[in-house]
Amino acid sequence: MTVNKVDSIYVEEAMDYQQYRTLIDGLLKEGKTTGTIYSGPEILEYAKLNAARMSRLEKTVTLTPAMQDALSKLTAHQTWLVLTEGWCGDAAQSVPIFNAIANATDKITLRLLLRDENPDLMQQYLYEGKSKSIPRLIAVNDEMEERFVWGPRPVELQAQFVEMQEKKMHYTQIAEVLHAWYAKDRTISVQSELAALLRV
């Protein structure tokens, strides 16, 4: 069985969580956000909202018993390499959870990369082989061999997202539904799915 490998240069060039937050906050003060594909006042407003969402989650994420159990059974170190952007609402809802998990164990190191600055890695990890959807979490061992991949959304929410796209709903409507779902779910689904992957 062939195991996918990730070039170690990505880990070397990646940011830790605090560097990522500092970058986002610094750009917002200049009226900017990350990324090269999207720009304009609407995207900037999304970025501001997402920074606030991240700040809120940083204060409120509590690891579930299932996640704590999965972490307690980890025996080997892994790195979570995440493709993300400051304007991405789904990333804002998930990346602080990744950080809380990594902070709870010495077996996980979290590293963040901007999607638009790393097109080759994004191409390697397109969602379903076609979409640049983020966040995209790629877990690798110390030999840079892929352990698992997660994202861009919890399974249940991704199904709703696809359905809304098929109905050709406007993105602002879709975003409202997505963030309402995240608020109601209270990080449970992301943690549940990651805990299951950690146990494999």
Side-chain angles (χ1 to χ4, degrees), residues 3-152:
V3 178
N4 289 333
K5 293 196 74 170
V6 175
D7 194 320
S8 61
I9 193 72
Y10 289 114
V11 173
E12 293 164 17
E13 294 180 348
M15 297 172 278
D16 64 24
Y17 184 77
Q18 192 53 57
Q19 288 170 324
Y20 176 64
R21 290 292 276 123
T22 299
L23 173 66
I24 289 172
D25 292 344
L27 286 171
L28 283 174
K29 287 176 182 175
E30 297 173 15
K32 301 174 184 174
T33 186
T34 66
T36 59
I37 294 176
Y38 302 114
S39 62
E42 189 176 21
I43 288 296
L44 190 59
E45 283 306 307
Y46 282 135
K48 288 177 183 175
L49 275 173
N50 291 332
R53 289 179 177 118
M54 293 179 78
S55 295
R56 184 176 66 249
L57 279 166
E58 287 161 7
K59 298 182 183 79
T60 59
V61 174
T62 301
L63 298 190
T64 63
M67 176 54 73
Q68 291 177 34
D69 180 67
L71 292 176
S72 73
K73 292 180 169 68
L74 283 179
T75 57
H77 178 263
Q78 55 188 261
T79 297
W80 285 9
L81 197 57
V82 180
L83 288 160
T84 182
E85 292 285 353
W87 47 257
C88 177
D90 292 290
Q93 296 282 9
S94 297
V95 173
I97 305 173
F98 305 160
N99 186 55
I101 294 167
N103 282 341
T105 176
D106 61 0
K107 299 295 186 187
I108 296 173
T109 300
L110 178 65
R111 290 293 179 264
L112 302 151
L113 290 165
L114 297 179
R115 181 193 74 173
D116 295 354
E117 292 182 6
N118 294 277
D120 291 343
L121 186 63
M122 185 69 257
Q123 194 64 30
Q124 187 179 343
Y125 284 97
L126 294 173
Y127 178 69
E128 295 189 336
K130 58 188 178 184
S131 168
K132 293 181 179 179
S133 299
I134 51 175
R136 204 78 166 118
L137 187 163
I138 306 142
V140 295
N141 62 19
D142 288 346
E143 287 70 49
M144 298 305 296
E145 296 169 332
E146 180 190 303
R147 293 284 319 281
F148 64 82
V149 180
W150 183 92

Side-chain angles (χ1 to χ4, degrees), residues 119-187:
D120 291 343
L121 186 63
M122 185 69 257
Q123 194 64 30
Q124 187 179 343
Y125 284 97
L126 294 173
Y127 178 69
E128 295 189 336
K130 58 188 178 184
S131 168
K132 293 181 179 179
S133 299
I134 51 175
R136 204 78 166 118
L137 187 163
I138 306 142
V140 295
N141 62 19
D142 288 346
E143 287 70 49
M144 298 305 296
E145 296 169 332
E146 180 190 303
R147 293 284 319 281
F148 64 82
V149 180
W150 183 92
R153 301 174 186 89
V155 172
E156 179 186 326
L157 186 57
Q158 179 63 19
Q160 288 188 35
F161 177 76
V162 170
E163 191 176 309
M164 289 186 288
Q165 278 195 318
E166 288 172 350
K167 291 178 180 176
K168 303 201 183 309
M169 288 173 60
H170 191 273
Y171 187 77
T172 54
Q173 292 178 292
I174 293 176
E176 284 179 15
V177 173
L178 294 179
H179 291 296
W181 188 95
Y182 281 117
K184 185 178 179 181
D185 187 71
R186 301 175 69 86
T187 82

